[in-house]
Amino acid sequence: MAFADSVLPSYQTKADAIAAARRSIEFTKAVLAATPSAELLPEVTVFGAKVPKLLVTLLPLDHAHEHFGQLIAYARMNRIVPPWSK
């Protein structure tokens, strides 16, 4: 069994995947809202660089933005016009 198979759930429908993504976003928002501002200032080491924890909190957003760009490129390669471009 591959690592991903043992960790990631298998979604049967698009609605299941969207619901899981929304739960993930809500969880991230809740954790950030519960974190005191002062706790975001100390530095931590990420990818070999010392950065404020605040920067680490932006990594999920940055990662999602990267995938969003890939989805746009994939859609356009398949001659699908994204709804916001119509």
Side-chain angles (χ1 to χ4, degrees):
M1 178 185 302
F3 174 76
D5 294 337
S6 66
V7 176
L8 298 175
S10 175
Y11 300 110
Q12 300 300 314
T13 67
K14 178 180 175 180
D16 291 342
I18 290 171
R22 287 190 173 136
R23 285 192 306 273
S24 176
I25 291 166
E26 290 305 315
F27 174 79
T28 302
K29 286 168 54 176
V31 168
L32 290 175
T35 303
S37 299
E39 287 186 24
L40 297 174
L41 297 176
E43 289 188 334
V44 293
T45 302
V46 179
F47 304 123
K50 285 196 153 264
V51 296
K53 283 184 182 179
L54 178 61
L55 183 62
V56 177
T57 67
L58 298 175
L59 288 176
L61 177 64
D62 183 56
H63 187 76
H65 187 261
E66 182 71 25
H67 283 287
F68 187 63
Q70 292 170 339
L71 289 170
I72 291 170
Y74 180 75
R76 292 187 186 278
M77 285 175 19
N78 287 284
R79 298 179 186 185
I80 298 170
V81 178
W84 56 87
S85 296
K86 292 181 180 177

